[in-house]
Amino acid sequence: HHHHHHHDNEAEGDGWSEVGKKSKSSIVRNEIKLQETPMSSIFGGVMRLELRRRGMKNTVSTQPFHELQLDIHSPYVHTLEEALEEFMSPREITGLKAANGRTVDAQQHVTISPPLVLVFHLKRFAFNEMGEKIDKFIHYPPSLKLPRRMLHGERQPLTYVLRSVVVHHGKFLSGGHYTAYCQMRMSNNNNTTNNNTNNNNDNDKKKNNKTTWLHLNDENMTFVDASTMMSQAGAYLLFYERDEDV
């Protein structure tokens, strides 16, 4: 998984000037067609990176993703929304080599076409030579609204609902233990004999669906309440599903 925020300006400059040489058109798309697989049809999104340079044409590149890796090391990041804000904020890139040999400054803007299930990977091991874990609690909401400016070509914001949390237990990446919390929707409909086909059927079904949370720990499966599920300091992967009811 290569993250798109490179810190090596030279390499990045060369990459972008290659794009400039190949074509003079205003937007260069190196579309990578994602091989359609059962995994990609659920988890596969596309990230769109736009490089804006003063006095020059913008260049665009796209890359597929199955998860968004979010930095959480900043002392200002305490919530998933703040980590996402940080991820989406425009990056200043200085000293970029243009095709004509000049160096220019640029801004990199990120938008996404999000998949059906959006996976956030909180980078708890990213900024420590020891491989020690950043174990501060990052607050994650039961329901997440992605604002329009984050989305490529969307008319309105999209709402996502939390379905599962994978937790890393332990101090180091090299060891430790993973467990998962999952939402389970169970139907409480006992009167299966009643074939009442009135218009309110769907609404009744919704009312009768009870949501429970399970903690999956190797072969052990226990029921937990939502507050346990929402307060995991070791939360590592967050699975959000697009809410189609909105």
Side-chain angles (χ1 to χ4, degrees), residues 78-235:
H78 299 286
T79 67
L80 176 62
E81 292 92 333
E82 287 165 352
L84 204 49
E85 193 63 48
E86 178 99 346
F87 178 85
M88 302 301 299
S89 64
R91 289 278 182 278
E92 298 293 338
I93 299 169
T94 53
L96 205 55
K97 276 203 282 292
N100 60 9
R102 283 189 309 154
T103 56
V104 291
D105 293 344
Q107 259 198 350
Q108 179 176 275
H109 293 258
V110 186
T111 50
I112 59 173
S113 301
L116 189 62
V117 176
L118 187 50
V119 183
F120 297 109
H121 170 179
L122 304 182
K123 292 165 72 177
R124 293 195 172 276
F125 299 100
F127 283 85
N128 194 318
E129 305 77 65
M130 298 282 299
E132 225 176 308
K133 187 161 79 171
I134 302 170
D135 54 8
K136 69 175 170 184
F137 175 61
I138 298 292
H139 179 271
Y140 42 96
S143 155
L144 178 71
K145 189 168 267 189
L146 298 185
R148 263 177 50 188
R149 62 190 156 76
M150 210 174 264
L151 304 170
H152 179 55
E154 278 291 333
R155 307 277 179 297
Q156 66 253 44
L158 291 175
T159 302
Y160 278 77
V161 182
L162 183 66
R163 297 290 186 220
S164 179
V165 178
V166 173
V167 177
H168 177 270
H169 308 266
K171 266 261 171 266
F172 300 94
L173 177 58
S174 52
H177 181 60
Y178 291 92
T179 67
Y181 290 85
C182 301
Q183 190 184 73
M184 196 165 92
R185 279 159 292 180
M186 305 197 316
S187 172
N188 271 355
N189 230 340
N190 297 331
N191 53 348
T192 40
T193 49
N194 183 359
N195 284 338
N196 189 359
T197 53
N198 60 5
N199 297 340
N200 296 336
N201 225 355
D202 280 350
N203 293 342
D204 289 350
K205 271 204 204 86
K206 262 205 193 93
K207 273 195 214 93
N208 287 330
N209 278 357
K210 198 169 67 129
T211 300
T212 50
W213 290 99
L214 290 175
H215 185 209
L216 307 170
N217 181 359
D218 291 343
E219 67 280 1
N220 299 322
M221 196 169 83
T222 46
F223 288 100
V224 293
D225 54 27
S227 62
T228 304
M229 146 85 200
M230 296 306 296
S231 57
Q232 293 300 313

Side-chain angles (χ1 to χ4, degrees), residues 9 12 18-19 21 43 47 70 98 169 171 238 243:
N9 280 348
E12 185 148 11
E18 287 298 315
V19 170
K21 280 186 206 115
F43 300 105
M47 195 185 303
L70 303 182
H169 308 266
K171 266 261 171 266
L238 302 167
D243 190 354

